[in-house]
């Protein structure tokens, strides 16, 4: 690679829109303007001594694409710049990122405090996987900062939570919770997939580690799977790297290239989708029994959300009368797709109780606030008037 432009001092002072387009770029001797796609599993050396020196860490260069790849490295540098982090490592999926961010720093006898409202697989990590390794877990209502404090033990090592939470849109007071954690020597791991660094940067509020499903808004067009973990260089290279090197949740070069292209329009997309979501949410609020969207004054944590986020994001939840009516509404849609994905440029709606959170016991879903009448709606880049027309028709057919 001939020239790096992404991690220079100048790049760190670029504004986010510039970083999203140019951050991390490294050009080969051909001088390509678009990031090159390096489809290779290994690398050749000029001599045996060079190979030995690279493996010993004495020579700069790449050894194997499970550890380094030029295209993947560009993405990692770009995400780190957008996040304001010292370093980033990417992985094959968002859940690989969440799992690695936790397991790389925990061991038997440690304790984790986790927010109860989370993606179903994240709850499975806390409820089922971590205890198998002798790691104790306590699930709390993360909206209540005092609940974190009350759950702390001498062996508490990590606070793990999502804000806004999936799908209940719970908001966590980042400054208060991260401040509490730091005062007790506890690390915070924040799932920031709903907001992305374009709307919220948890590190600025004192978070230690930020994890992503880059499948969502970072790709933004429903094409590939990817995950990312951002934090201090010491954590990323000193703790996380050993875990991913030896367990292998590697992001493919092609998927990294696709996400790089997605990041170029992240700021434009998420702000337009936030505007669209606000328009649609205002319409729905008068038609359904209850709606949760951080940018609406009716959200119980509206002021906190708007103090932490630049906009409300593309996702919200609303409630109807039970599963039958929820499914009837979904089946009546003509424009909006029934899909469990989020962050797509297309509008998508799902019934969490029977899809994304169906693996959880009913009592856990209810504890999280996920009822049979809850629907989660990802607003895309369509004209919001068309989305409102589609919802208006579907609501009428579902007798709402």
């Amino acid at each position: 690679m001939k020239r790096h432009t992404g991690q220079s001092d100048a790049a760190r002072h670029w504004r986010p829109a510039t970083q999203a387009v140019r951050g991390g770029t490294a050009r080969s001797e051909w001088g390509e303007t678009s990031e090159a796609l390096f489809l290779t599993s290994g690398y050749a050396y000029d001599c045996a001594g060079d190979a030995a020196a690279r493996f010993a860490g004495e020579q700069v260069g790449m050894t194997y694409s499970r550890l380094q790849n030029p295209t993947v490295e560009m993405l990692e540098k770009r995400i780190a710049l957008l996040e304001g982090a010292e370093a980033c490592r990417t992985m094959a999926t968002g859940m690989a990122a969440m799992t690695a961010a936790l397991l790389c720093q925990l061991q038997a006898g440690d304790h984790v405090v986790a927010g109860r409202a989370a993606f179903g697989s994240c709850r499975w990590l806390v409820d089922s996987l971590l205890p198998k390794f002798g790691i104790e877990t306590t699930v709390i209502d993360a909206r209540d900062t005092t609940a974190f404090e009350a759950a702390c033990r001498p062996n508490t090592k990590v606070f793990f939570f999502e804000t806004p939470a999936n799908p209940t849109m719970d908001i966590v007071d980042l400054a208060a919770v991260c401040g509490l954690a730091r005062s007790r020597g506890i690390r915070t791991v924040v799932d920031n997939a709903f907001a992305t660094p374009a709307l919220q940067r948890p590190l600025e509020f004192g978070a230690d580690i930020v994890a992503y499903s880059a499948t969502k808004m970072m790709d933004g067009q429903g094409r590939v799977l990817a995950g990312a973990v951002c934090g201090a260089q010491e954590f990323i290279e000193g703790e996380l790297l050993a875990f991913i090197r030896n367990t292998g949740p590697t992001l493919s070069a092609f998927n990294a290239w696709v996400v790089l292209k997605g990041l170029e329009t992240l700021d434009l997309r998420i702000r337009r989708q936030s505007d669209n979501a606000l328009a649609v949410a205002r319409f729905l609020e008068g038609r359904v029994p209850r709606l949760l969207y951080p940018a609406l004054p009716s959200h119980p944590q509206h002021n906190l959300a708007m103090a932490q986020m630049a906009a409300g994001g593309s996702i919200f939840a609303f409630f109807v009368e039970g599963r039958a009516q929820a499914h009837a509404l979904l089946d009546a849609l003509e424009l909006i797709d029934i899909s469990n994905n989020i962050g797509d440029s297309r509008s998508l709606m799902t019934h969490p109780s029977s899809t994304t959170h169906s693996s959880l016991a009913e009592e856990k879903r209810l504890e999280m606030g996920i009822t049979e009448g809850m629907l989660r709606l990802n607003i895309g880049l369509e004209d919001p008037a068309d989305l409102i027309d589609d919802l208006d028709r579907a609501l009428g057919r579902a007798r709402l």
Side-chain angles (χ1 to χ4, degrees), residues 91-261:
M91 273 151 273
T93 68
M95 284 313 305
M98 303 300 161
T99 304
L102 294 172
L103 286 183
C104 78
Q105 60 178 313
L106 294 168
Q107 60 185 3
D110 288 344
H111 176 241
V112 173
V113 179
R116 69 183 185 186
F119 177 52
S121 294
C122 288
R123 275 299 301 262
W124 182 85
L125 289 180
V126 172
D127 296 338
S128 301
L129 183 66
L130 295 184
K132 288 183 179 180
F133 292 94
I135 300 164
E136 300 175 295
T137 61
T138 301
V139 176
I140 53 98
D141 183 345
R143 294 172 297 182
D144 181 3
T145 303
T146 62
F148 281 97
E149 188 169 15
C152 284
R153 303 176 187 173
N155 61 334
T156 302
K157 293 296 191 297
V158 167
F159 288 169
F160 177 45
F161 58 89
E162 180 180 12
T163 183
N166 182 4
T168 60
M169 309 309 295
D170 289 1
I171 306 297
V172 180
D173 189 330
L174 284 165
V177 172
C178 295
L180 170 65
R182 293 210 167 185
S183 72
R184 296 187 173 225
I186 298 167
R187 281 179 174 159
T188 46
V189 178
V190 181
D191 180 347
N192 196 40
F194 269 32
T196 81
L199 297 185
Q200 177 175 271
R201 304 214 302 181
L203 295 179
E204 294 180 351
F205 294 89
D208 297 299
I209 299 148
V210 182
Y212 285 102
S213 172
T215 308
K216 309 302 189 291
M217 287 299 306
M218 287 188 178
D219 170 18
Q221 287 146 85
R223 299 169 294 189
V224 299
L225 302 176
V229 178
C230 302
Q233 184 82 25
E234 182 180 2
F235 169 76
I236 298 295
E237 301 301 326
E239 297 180 52
L240 180 65
L241 178 58
F243 182 90
I244 62 177
R245 172 193 289 125
N246 294 295
T247 59
T250 310
L251 177 64
S252 75
F254 178 78
N255 286 12
W257 184 84
V258 172
V259 177
L260 274 166
K261 297 291 98 184

Side-chain angles (χ1 to χ4, degrees), residues 272-314:
R272 176 62 179 269
Q273 287 175 249
S274 293
D275 290 343
N276 289 354
L278 183 58
V280 175
R282 283 173 173 159
F283 161 76
L284 274 176
E285 192 171 33
R287 294 286 299 273
V288 297
R290 185 178 172 219
L291 185 143
L292 293 169
Y293 182 55
L296 285 177
S298 58
H299 190 285
Q301 297 173 285
H302 169 71
N303 291 337
L304 174 61
M306 293 299 93
Q308 297 179 170
M309 301 172 65
S314 65

Side-chain angles (χ1 to χ4, degrees), residues 301-359:
Q301 297 173 285
H302 169 71
N303 291 337
L304 174 61
M306 293 299 93
Q308 297 179 170
M309 301 172 65
S314 65
I315 303 155
F316 60 82
F318 66 95
F319 298 80
V320 295
E321 299 297 330
R323 179 180 291 207
Q325 194 169 61
H327 280 197
L329 177 57
L330 286 166
D331 291 344
L333 295 169
E334 296 178 1
L335 174 62
I336 299 168
D337 290 315
I338 302 171
S339 176
N340 52 282
N341 196 22
I342 55 173
D344 201 305
S345 58
R346 300 161 185 81
S347 293
L348 313 170
M349 194 189 299
T350 195
H351 179 243
S353 186
S354 59
T355 59
T356 58
H357 292 70
S358 61
S359 63

